[in-house]
Amino acid sequence: FGWNENDVHWCQLEFREGLINAIVHGTLRVKKAGDTEADEKRFAEDLKKARSSEEAKQTKVHVSVDVSPTAIQVDIQDHGGKRTRELVEEFLTRDPTAEGNRLKTSGRGGLLMKAAFGENGVRYYPNDLGTKLVLRKEKTGSNTEAPQT
């Protein structure tokens, strides 16, 4: 469809970010509590336990991708239970460049997704299954630079 390499790269990168978030935080329901070495270790242990649970083996993440000559849209639906709009908004509005966040090892996904897909190209829809993430990118020119954050 003639998409430029830069747009394809950033869409792929942020698709992976959204998918990993849906699996880890949505479907497996593992939450990171802090940024100390002990928090990182606890997060890794919690993730390992969650991945081997019977519940994890039964849950799914559904993905659909639509690529056309004018737009790319990726829908990612987790099955993590009902989420609140406030939690989603916190994720999307978190500023990883703020003084207390600069050295944190996580929390940059929302900013990067918005940079790659645009302010209006990242949407979350809480529902009975969990949360549906919709990433939509309209085709741009031949820009070869990284998105601005």
Side-chain angles (χ1 to χ4, degrees):
F1 289 121
W3 284 82
N4 73 57
E5 190 175 325
N6 185 58
D7 282 345
V8 171
H9 167 77
W10 283 98
C11 287
Q12 288 174 340
L13 182 68
E14 296 316 314
F15 161 72
R16 288 190 295 266
E17 173 72 20
L19 182 61
I20 289 168
N21 284 344
I23 294 168
V24 172
H25 304 301
T27 299
L28 295 178
R29 299 183 186 131
V30 178
K31 185 176 181 184
K32 190 167 178 193
D35 291 294
T36 67
E37 194 171 318
D39 293 329
E40 292 285 342
K41 186 175 181 180
R42 188 170 31 259
F43 176 74
E45 290 168 0
D46 290 347
L47 184 58
K48 185 176 180 181
K49 276 192 260 182
R51 288 177 57 210
S52 62
S53 73
E54 285 304 312
E55 181 183 9
K57 293 174 186 174
Q58 303 302 317
T59 58
K60 297 177 176 27
V61 172
H62 290 96
V63 176
S64 68
V65 179
D66 182 28
V67 180
S68 75
T70 59
I72 295 173
Q73 181 166 316
V74 178
D75 296 353
I76 303 171
Q77 172 69 58
D78 72 46
H79 289 227
K82 205 154 195 151
R83 297 271 193 206
T84 64
R85 173 107 19 222
E86 292 82 27
L87 289 174
V88 170
E89 288 304 316
E90 177 200 340
F91 168 72
L92 290 174
T93 58
R94 184 178 305 137
D95 181 4
T97 64
E99 185 65 34
N101 296 335
R102 290 185 193 151
L103 299 178
K104 290 185 176 181
T105 58
S106 63
R108 292 165 181 80
L111 180 72
L112 291 172
M113 280 188 228
K114 283 183 177 181
F117 286 92
E119 190 71 29
N120 295 317
V122 180
R123 293 282 182 244
Y124 280 86
Y125 301 98
N127 55 56
D128 290 339
L129 294 174
T131 302
K132 181 177 183 178
L133 167 64
V134 177
L135 302 170
R136 183 170 178 82
K137 174 78 174 170
E138 301 294 327
K139 192 172 190 180
T140 62
S142 60
N143 183 11
T144 58
E145 297 178 14
Q148 297 299 310
T149 56

